[in-house]
Structure formats: structure tokens, C-alpha cells
Coordinates of all heavy atoms in Angstrom, one line a residue:
M8 N 91.3 76.1 70.5 CA 90.7 76.2 71.8 C 91.1 77.3 72.5 O 92.3 77.7 72.6 CB 90.9 74.8 72.7 CG 90.4 74.9 74.1 SD 91.0 73.5 75.1 CE 90.8 72.1 74.1
R9 N 90.2 78.2 73.2 CA 90.5 79.2 74.0 C 90.3 78.9 75.6 O 89.5 78.2 75.9 CB 89.7 80.5 73.8 CG 90.1 81.2 72.5 CD 89.2 82.5 72.3 NE 89.3 83.5 73.4 CZ 90.3 84.3 73.6 NH1 91.4 84.3 72.8 NH2 90.3 85.2 74.6
L10 N 91.3 79.4 76.3 CA 91.2 79.2 77.8 C 91.3 80.4 78.5 O 91.8 81.5 78.1 CB 92.4 78.3 78.2 CG 92.6 77.0 77.5 CD1 94.0 76.4 78.0 CD2 91.5 76.0 77.9
R11 N 90.7 80.4 79.8 CA 90.9 81.5 80.7 C 91.5 80.9 81.9 O 91.1 79.9 82.5 CB 89.4 82.0 81.1 CG 89.5 83.1 82.2 CD 88.1 83.6 82.7 NE 87.4 84.3 81.6 CZ 86.2 84.0 81.3 NH1 85.4 83.1 81.9 NH2 85.6 84.7 80.2
V12 N 92.4 81.7 82.4 CA 93.2 81.3 83.6 C 92.8 82.4 84.7 O 92.8 83.5 84.4 CB 94.6 81.2 83.5 CG1 95.4 82.3 83.1 CG2 95.3 80.6 84.7
E13 N 92.5 81.9 85.9 CA 92.3 82.8 87.1 C 93.3 82.4 88.2 O 93.3 81.1 88.4 CB 90.9 82.7 87.6 CG 89.8 83.0 86.6 CD 88.4 82.8 87.1 OE1 88.2 83.2 88.2 OE2 87.6 82.2 86.4
F14 N 94.0 83.3 88.7 CA 95.0 82.9 89.8 C 95.2 83.9 90.8 O 95.0 85.0 90.6 CB 96.3 82.5 89.1 CG 96.9 83.6 88.4 CD1 97.9 84.5 89.2 CD2 96.6 84.1 87.2 CE1 98.5 85.5 88.7 CE2 97.3 85.1 86.6 CZ 98.2 85.9 87.3
T15 N 95.6 83.5 91.9 CA 96.2 84.2 93.0 C 97.5 83.7 93.6 O 97.7 82.4 93.5 CB 95.2 84.4 94.2 OG1 94.9 83.1 94.7 CG2 93.9 85.1 93.8
T16 N 98.3 84.4 94.1 CA 99.6 84.1 94.8 C 99.6 84.5 96.2 O 98.9 85.5 96.6 CB 100.8 84.5 94.1 OG1 100.9 85.9 94.1 CG2 100.9 84.0 92.7
E17 N 100.1 83.8 97.2 CA 100.1 84.1 98.5 C 101.6 83.9 99.0 O 102.4 83.1 98.3 CB 99.2 83.1 99.3 CG 97.8 83.4 98.9 CD 96.9 82.5 99.7 OE1 97.0 82.3 101.0 OE2 95.9 81.9 99.1
P18 N 102.0 84.5 100.2 CA 101.1 85.2 101.1 C 100.8 86.6 100.7 O 101.5 87.2 99.8 CB 102.0 85.3 102.4 CG 103.4 85.2 101.8 CD 103.4 84.3 100.6
F19 N 99.7 87.2 101.1 CA 99.2 88.5 100.8 C 100.0 89.5 101.7 O 100.3 89.2 102.8 CB 97.7 88.6 101.1 CG 96.9 87.8 100.2 CD1 96.1 86.8 100.8 CD2 96.7 88.1 98.9 CE1 95.2 86.0 100.0 CE2 95.9 87.3 98.1 CZ 95.2 86.3 98.6
D20 N 100.1 90.6 101.2 CA 100.8 91.8 101.9 C 99.9 93.0 101.5 O 100.0 93.4 100.3 CB 102.3 91.9 101.6 CG 102.8 93.0 102.4 OD1 102.2 94.0 102.9 OD2 104.1 93.1 102.5
L21 N 99.1 93.5 102.3 CA 98.2 94.6 102.0 C 99.0 95.9 102.0 O 98.5 96.9 101.4 CB 97.1 94.7 103.1 CG 96.2 93.5 103.1 CD1 95.1 93.7 104.2 CD2 95.5 93.3 101.7
E22 N 100.2 95.9 102.5 CA 101.0 97.2 102.5 C 101.7 97.4 101.1 O 101.8 98.6 100.6 CB 101.9 97.3 103.7 CG 101.3 97.2 105.1 CD 100.5 98.3 105.3 OE1 100.9 99.4 105.0 OE2 99.4 98.2 105.9
E23 N 102.3 96.3 100.6 CA 103.1 96.4 99.5 C 103.0 95.1 98.7 O 103.0 94.1 99.2 CB 104.6 96.6 99.9 CG 105.6 96.8 98.8 CD 106.9 97.1 99.5 OE1 107.1 97.7 100.5 OE2 108.0 96.7 98.8
A24 N 103.1 95.3 97.4 CA 103.0 94.0 96.4 C 104.2 93.2 96.7 O 105.4 93.7 96.6 CB 102.9 94.5 95.1
P25 N 104.1 91.9 97.2 CA 105.2 91.1 97.3 C 105.8 90.8 95.9 O 105.4 90.8 94.9 CB 104.7 89.8 98.0 CG 103.2 89.9 97.9 CD 102.8 91.3 97.5
A26 N 107.2 90.2 96.0 CA 107.9 89.9 94.9 C 107.2 88.8 94.0 O 107.3 88.9 92.8 CB 109.3 89.4 95.3
H27 N 106.6 87.9 94.6 CA 105.9 86.9 93.9 C 104.7 87.4 93.1 O 104.4 87.0 92.0 CB 105.4 85.7 94.7 CG 104.6 86.0 95.8 ND1 103.2 86.2 95.7 CD2 104.8 86.2 97.2 CE1 102.6 86.5 96.9 NE2 103.6 86.5 97.8
A28 N 104.1 88.4 93.7 CA 102.9 89.0 93.0 C 103.4 89.9 91.7 O 102.8 89.9 90.7 CB 102.0 90.0 93.9
L29 N 104.6 90.5 91.9 CA 105.2 91.3 90.9 C 105.7 90.4 89.7 O 105.4 90.7 88.5 CB 106.4 92.2 91.4 CG 105.9 93.2 92.4 CD1 107.2 93.9 92.9 CD2 104.8 94.2 91.8
A30 N 106.2 89.2 90.2 CA 106.6 88.2 89.2 C 105.4 87.7 88.3 O 105.5 87.5 87.1 CB 107.4 87.1 89.8
A31 N 104.4 87.5 89.0 CA 103.1 86.9 88.4 C 102.6 88.1 87.3 O 102.2 87.7 86.2 CB 102.0 86.7 89.4
R32 N 102.6 89.2 87.8 CA 102.1 90.3 86.9 C 103.0 90.5 85.7 O 102.5 90.6 84.6 CB 102.2 91.7 87.6 CG 101.6 92.8 86.8 CD 101.7 94.1 87.6 NE 100.8 94.1 88.8 CZ 101.0 94.8 89.9 NH1 101.9 95.6 90.0 NH2 100.1 94.6 90.9
E33 N 104.3 90.4 85.8 CA 105.2 90.5 84.7 C 105.0 89.3 83.8 O 105.0 89.5 82.5 CB 106.6 90.4 85.2 CG 107.7 90.5 84.1 CD 109.1 90.5 84.5 OE1 109.4 90.7 85.7 OE2 110.0 90.3 83.6
V34 N 104.8 88.1 84.3 CA 104.7 86.9 83.4 C 103.3 87.1 82.5 O 103.4 87.0 81.3 CB 104.5 85.6 84.2 CG1 104.0 84.4 83.3 CG2 105.9 85.2 84.7
I35 N 102.2 87.4 83.2 CA 101.0 87.6 82.5 C 100.9 88.8 81.5 O 100.4 88.7 80.4 CB 99.8 87.7 83.6 CG1 99.7 86.4 84.3 CG2 98.5 88.1 82.9 CD1 99.4 85.1 83.4
E36 N 101.5 89.9 82.0 CA 101.5 91.0 81.1 C 102.4 90.9 79.8 O 102.3 91.6 78.9 CB 101.7 92.3 81.8 CG 100.6 92.7 82.9 CD 100.9 94.0 83.6 OE1 102.1 94.4 83.8 OE2 99.9 94.4 84.1
T37 N 103.5 90.1 79.9 CA 104.3 90.0 78.8 C 104.0 88.7 78.0 O 104.6 88.6 76.9 CB 105.8 89.9 79.3 OG1 106.0 88.8 80.2 CG2 106.2 91.2 80.0
A38 N 103.2 87.8 78.4 CA 102.7 86.7 77.7 C 101.8 87.1 76.4 O 101.3 88.2 76.5 CB 102.0 85.7 78.6
D39 N 101.8 86.2 75.5 CA 101.0 86.5 74.4 C 99.5 86.1 74.6 O 99.0 85.2 74.1 CB 101.5 85.7 73.2 CG 100.9 86.0 71.8 OD1 100.3 87.2 71.8 OD2 100.9 85.2 70.9
L40 N 98.9 86.9 75.6 CA 97.5 86.6 76.0 C 96.8 87.9 75.7 O 97.3 89.1 75.5 CB 97.5 86.3 77.5 CG 98.3 85.1 77.9 CD1 98.3 85.0 79.4 CD2 97.7 83.8 77.3
D41 N 95.4 87.7 75.8 CA 94.5 88.9 75.7 C 93.6 88.9 76.9 O 93.5 87.9 77.7 CB 93.8 89.0 74.3 CG 93.1 87.7 74.0 OD1 93.3 86.7 74.7 OD2 92.4 87.7 72.9
A42 N 92.8 90.0 77.0 CA 91.8 90.1 78.1 C 92.6 89.9 79.4 O 92.0 89.2 80.3 CB 90.6 89.2 77.8
V43 N 93.7 90.5 79.6 CA 94.5 90.4 80.9 C 93.8 91.4 81.8 O 93.7 92.5 81.6 CB 95.9 90.7 80.6 CG1 96.7 90.8 82.0 CG2 96.5 89.6 79.8
D44 N 93.5 90.9 83.2 CA 93.1 91.8 84.1 C 93.8 91.4 85.5 O 93.6 90.3 86.0 CB 91.5 91.5 84.4 CG 90.9 92.5 85.5 OD1 91.5 93.5 85.8 OD2 89.8 92.1 86.0
V45 N 94.6 92.3 85.8 CA 95.5 92.1 87.1 C 95.0 92.9 88.2 O 94.7 94.2 88.0 CB 97.0 92.5 86.8 CG1 97.7 92.4 88.0 CG2 97.5 91.7 85.6
G46 N 94.6 92.3 89.3 CA 94.0 92.9 90.4 C 94.7 92.7 91.8 O 95.5 91.7 91.8
P47 N 94.3 93.3 92.8 CA 95.0 93.1 94.1 C 94.7 91.7 94.6 O 95.5 91.1 95.5 CB 94.6 94.1 95.0 CG 93.2 94.5 94.4 CD 93.3 94.3 93.0
F48 N 93.5 91.0 94.4 CA 93.1 89.9 95.0 C 92.9 88.7 94.0 O 92.6 87.6 94.4 CB 91.9 90.0 95.9 CG 92.1 91.0 96.9 CD1 91.5 92.2 97.0 CD2 92.9 90.7 98.0 CE1 91.8 93.2 97.9 CE2 93.2 91.6 99.0 CZ 92.6 92.8 99.1
G49 N 93.0 89.0 92.7 CA 92.8 87.9 91.7 C 93.2 88.5 90.4 O 93.2 89.7 90.1
N50 N 93.5 87.6 89.5 CA 94.0 87.9 88.2 C 93.4 87.0 87.1 O 93.3 85.8 87.5 CB 95.6 87.8 88.1 CG 96.2 88.5 89.3 OD1 96.4 89.7 89.3 ND2 96.6 87.7 90.2
T51 N 93.1 87.5 86.0 CA 92.6 86.6 84.9 C 93.2 87.0 83.7 O 93.7 88.1 83.4 CB 91.1 86.8 84.7 OG1 90.8 88.1 84.3 CG2 90.4 86.4 85.9
A52 N 93.3 86.0 82.7 CA 93.8 86.2 81.4 C 93.2 85.2 80.5 O 92.8 84.1 80.9 CB 95.4 86.1 81.3
E53 N 93.1 85.5 79.2 CA 92.6 84.6 78.2 C 93.5 84.6 77.0 O 94.2 85.5 76.7 CB 91.1 85.2 77.7 CG 90.1 85.2 78.8 CD 88.8 85.6 78.4 OE1 88.6 85.9 77.2 OE2 87.9 85.9 79.2
G54 N 93.4 83.4 76.3 CA 94.2 83.3 75.1 C 94.0 81.9 74.5 O 93.3 81.1 75.0
G55 N 94.8 81.5 73.5 CA 94.8 80.3 72.9 C 95.3 79.3 73.9 O 96.1 79.6 74.9
A56 N 95.1 78.0 73.8 CA 95.5 77.0 74.7 C 96.9 77.0 74.9 O 97.5 76.9 76.0 CB 95.0 75.6 74.4
D57 N 97.8 77.0 73.8 CA 99.2 76.9 73.9 C 99.7 78.1 74.7 O 100.7 78.0 75.6 CB 99.8 76.8 72.5 CG 99.7 75.4 71.9 OD1 99.4 74.5 72.6 OD2 99.8 75.3 70.6
E58 N 99.2 79.3 74.4 CA 99.7 80.4 75.0 C 99.4 80.5 76.5 O 100.2 80.8 77.3 CB 99.0 81.7 74.3 CG 99.6 82.0 73.0 CD 99.0 81.1 71.9 OE1 97.9 80.4 72.2 OE2 99.5 81.0 70.7
V59 N 98.2 80.1 76.8 CA 97.8 80.1 78.3 C 98.6 79.1 79.1 O 99.1 79.3 80.2 CB 96.3 79.9 78.5 CG1 96.0 79.6 79.9 CG2 95.5 81.0 78.0
L60 N 98.8 77.9 78.5 CA 99.6 76.8 79.2 C 101.0 77.2 79.3 O 101.6 77.0 80.4 CB 99.3 75.5 78.5 CG 97.9 74.9 78.6 CD1 97.8 73.7 77.7 CD2 97.4 74.7 79.9
T61 N 101.5 77.9 78.3 CA 102.9 78.3 78.4 C 103.0 79.4 79.5 O 104.0 79.3 80.3 CB 103.4 78.9 77.0 OG1 103.3 77.9 76.2 CG2 104.8 79.5 77.2
A62 N 102.1 80.3 79.6 CA 102.1 81.4 80.6 C 101.9 80.7 82.1 O 102.6 81.1 83.0 CB 101.0 82.4 80.3
V63 N 101.1 79.7 82.1 CA 100.9 79.1 83.5 C 102.2 78.5 84.0 O 102.5 78.5 85.2 CB 99.7 78.1 83.4 CG1 99.6 77.2 84.7 CG2 98.3 78.8 83.3
D64 N 102.9 77.8 83.1 CA 104.1 77.2 83.4 C 105.1 78.2 83.9 O 105.7 78.0 85.1 CB 104.7 76.4 82.2 CG 106.1 75.7 82.6 OD1 106.1 74.9 83.3 OD2 107.1 76.2 81.8
A65 N 105.3 79.3 83.2 CA 106.2 80.3 83.7 C 105.7 80.9 84.9 O 106.5 81.3 85.8 CB 106.3 81.4 82.5
L66 N 104.4 81.2 85.1 CA 103.8 81.7 86.3 C 104.1 80.9 87.5 O 104.6 81.4 88.4 CB 102.2 81.9 86.1 CG 101.6 82.3 87.3 CD1 101.6 83.8 87.5 CD2 100.0 81.8 87.2
L67 N 103.9 79.6 87.4 CA 104.2 78.7 88.5 C 105.7 78.7 88.9 O 106.1 78.9 90.0 CB 103.7 77.3 88.2 CG 102.2 77.1 88.1 CD1 102.0 75.7 87.6 CD2 101.6 77.4 89.4
R68 N 106.5 78.7 87.8 CA 108.0 78.6 88.2 C 108.5 79.9 88.7 O 109.2 79.9 89.7 CB 108.8 78.3 86.8 CG 108.5 76.9 86.3 CD 109.1 76.6 85.1 NE 108.7 75.3 84.5 CZ 109.3 74.2 84.8 NH1 110.3 74.2 85.7 NH2 108.9 73.0 84.3
K69 N 108.1 81.1 88.2 CA 108.6 82.3 88.6 C 108.2 82.8 89.9 O 108.8 83.3 90.7 CB 108.5 83.4 87.5 CG 109.3 83.0 86.3 CD 109.3 84.2 85.2 CE 110.0 83.8 84.1 NZ 111.2 84.4 83.8
T70 N 106.8 82.5 90.2 CA 106.3 82.9 91.4 C 106.8 82.2 92.6 O 107.1 82.7 93.7 CB 104.7 82.9 91.4 OG1 104.3 81.7 91.1 CG2 104.2 84.0 90.5
L71 N 107.0 80.8 92.4 CA 107.6 80.0 93.4 C 109.0 80.5 93.7 O 109.4 80.5 94.9 CB 107.6 78.6 93.1 CG 106.2 77.9 93.0 CD1 106.2 76.5 92.4 CD2 105.6 77.9 94.5
E72 N 109.8 80.7 92.7 CA 111.1 81.3 92.8 C 111.2 82.5 93.6 O 112.1 82.9 94.3 CB 111.9 81.5 91.4 CG 112.2 80.2 90.8 CD 112.6 80.4 89.3 OE1 112.8 81.6 88.8 OE2 112.9 79.3 88.6
A73 N 110.1 83.4 93.4 CA 110.1 84.7 94.0 C 109.5 84.7 95.4 O 109.2 85.6 96.0 CB 109.3 85.7 93.1
G74 N 109.1 83.5 96.0 CA 108.8 83.3 97.3 C 107.2 83.1 97.6 O 106.8 83.0 98.7
A75 N 106.5 82.8 96.6 CA 105.1 82.3 96.8 C 105.1 81.1 97.6 O 105.8 80.1 97.3 CB 104.3 82.2 95.5
T76 N 104.2 81.0 98.5 CA 104.1 79.8 99.3 C 102.7 79.0 99.0 O 102.6 77.9 99.4 CB 104.0 80.1 100.9 OG1 102.9 81.0 101.1 CG2 105.2 80.7 101.4
R77 N 101.9 79.6 98.1 CA 100.6 79.0 97.7 C 100.3 79.8 96.4 O 100.2 81.0 96.4 CB 99.6 79.1 98.8 CG 98.2 78.6 98.3 CD 97.1 78.7 99.4 NE 95.9 78.1 98.9 CZ 95.0 77.6 99.7 NH1 95.2 77.6 100.9 NH2 93.9 77.2 99.1
I78 N 99.8 79.0 95.4 CA 99.3 79.5 94.1 C 98.0 78.8 93.8 O 98.1 77.5 93.8 CB 100.3 79.4 93.0 CG1 101.7 80.0 93.4 CG2 99.8 79.9 91.7 CD1 102.8 79.4 92.5
S79 N 96.9 79.6 93.8 CA 95.7 78.9 93.5 C 95.4 79.3 92.0 O 95.4 80.5 91.7 CB 94.6 79.5 94.4 OG 94.9 79.2 95.8
L80 N 95.0 78.3 91.2 CA 94.6 78.8 89.9 C 93.5 77.8 89.3 O 93.3 76.7 89.8 CB 95.9 78.7 88.9 CG 96.5 77.5 88.5 CD1 95.9 76.9 87.2 CD2 98.0 77.8 88.3
Q81 N 92.8 78.4 88.4 CA 91.7 77.7 87.8 C 91.8 78.0 86.2 O 92.0 79.1 85.9 CB 90.4 78.2 88.3 CG 89.2 77.5 87.7 CD 87.9 78.0 88.4 OE1 87.8 77.9 89.6 NE2 87.0 78.5 87.6
V82 N 91.7 76.9 85.5 CA 91.7 77.2 84.1 C 90.3 76.6 83.4 O 89.9 75.5 83.8 CB 92.9 76.2 83.4 CG1 92.9 76.3 81.8 CG2 94.2 76.7 84.0
N83 N 89.8 77.4 82.7 CA 88.4 77.0 82.1 C 88.5 77.1 80.6 O 89.2 78.0 80.0 CB 87.4 78.0 82.5 CG 87.0 78.0 84.0 OD1 86.6 77.0 84.5 ND2 87.2 79.2 84.6
V84 N 87.9 76.2 79.9 CA 87.7 76.1 78.5 C 86.6 77.1 78.1 O 85.5 77.0 78.8 CB 87.5 74.8 77.9 CG1 87.2 74.8 76.5 CG2 88.6 73.8 78.2
L85 N 86.8 78.1 77.2 CA 85.8 79.0 76.8 C 85.0 78.5 75.7 O 85.5 77.7 74.7 CB 86.4 80.4 76.5 CG 87.2 81.0 77.6 CD1 87.9 82.3 77.0 CD2 86.3 81.4 78.8
E86 N 83.7 78.7 75.7 CA 82.7 78.4 74.7 C 83.2 79.2 73.4 O 83.6 80.4 73.5 CB 81.4 78.7 75.0 CG 80.8 77.9 76.1 CD 80.7 76.4 75.9 OE1 80.3 76.1 74.7 OE2 80.9 75.5 76.8
E87 N 82.8 78.7 72.2 CA 83.1 79.4 71.0 C 82.3 80.8 71.2 O 81.2 80.8 71.7 CB 82.6 78.7 69.8 CG 83.4 77.5 69.4 CD 84.8 77.9 68.9 OE1 84.9 78.9 68.2 OE2 85.7 77.3 69.2
G88 N 83.0 81.8 70.7 CA 82.4 83.2 70.8 C 82.6 84.0 72.0 O 82.2 85.1 72.0
Q89 N 83.3 83.3 73.0 CA 83.5 84.1 74.2 C 84.8 84.8 74.2 O 85.7 84.4 73.5 CB 83.5 83.2 75.4 CG 82.2 82.8 75.9 CD 82.3 82.0 77.2 OE1 83.0 81.0 77.3 NE2 81.5 82.4 78.2

């Protein structure tokens, strides 16, 4: 099974990327995922179910430790061939 995760962390800072956003970026970019897209207002990544769920666990833990006060995420199951 392939999954897509979409997430944002808050609070936002338009002047400089906060520590929790940098932690999220590091988790996603170093995870065994593909189709990673990191942006200023939302992030997405795709991969196998185990890899995505492992990355989500690390994402939640590390961003909360780095000061996130809210994490919004959505996980979707991808159809075959996507």
C-alpha cells in the first residue's frame, strides 16, 4: 500500500522558518520516502505505508519537541498506479 501525507506545523513565522518547521523538513527529507515536496505553507510526501507511518511518528515527536503548537496532517491511501 502506498500513502501520501500532507502536513503543516504552526505557529507560522513569515520572516524566518521556525525550529519546528526545520525539524519537519529534516524528518521528511531524510526519511525513505519519494515525491517529497516541502513548501512554506504545506508539505507532502509519498511512500510505502510503513515508511510513511514511521516518518509521521518521527515528524510528530520532533516537531512538538521543537516547539510546534499545532500540527495538521492528512494521510491518504493512493490508488494503484499513482
